[in-house]
Amino acid sequence: DLGYDAGSKELEDMPMGSYTFLGCGYEGTVSIPGVLARFDLNVLSGNVTLDEELRKNGHIATSTTINGRRALFELDPNNSDTCRYVLETRFGVVIFSRLYQKDHPGPVPQSEWCVGLENSVSTLERFIRD
């Protein structure tokens, strides 16, 4: 319902020493050049705390809440066309990272990287069971 293709789901796991991230990635709707851009979404759960994430990425993070849940909004100007929300959970965090797949040559204005993502994350947050 949010514009991602469930058939494109790819499972991901990223063990990193004492930390582990498990999740899946989804391709967005089909892109029509010059008309419709596609957004790809990765959803990861990890056993790091929100405070650890803030210490790591505080230079690009803004504290916020999603449906009353403590969260970070992260926008890194050096990571073009991507933005993310990191939500606190009992087990660690859930990360929603979206990539804007542009439909034209040249850069996408930074002001467009995250358009609509907060609403999508707000909808998906309701499915986090912790």
Side-chain angles (χ1 to χ4, degrees), residues 21-71:
F21 291 88
L22 302 172
C24 43
Y26 299 91
E27 291 181 358
T29 55
V30 174
S31 176
I32 302 170
V35 177
L36 176 66
R38 188 181 86 207
F39 298 96
D40 293 339
L41 181 68
N42 286 317
V43 181
L44 298 170
S45 63
N47 62 336
V48 301
T49 68
L50 193 67
D51 290 332
E52 288 172 313
E53 178 68 17
L54 183 58
R55 281 193 297 276
K56 177 183 171 196
N57 288 321
H59 62 290
I60 60 165
T62 304
S63 294
T64 188
T65 59
I66 301 291
N67 299 336
R69 184 185 295 268
R70 194 169 157 229

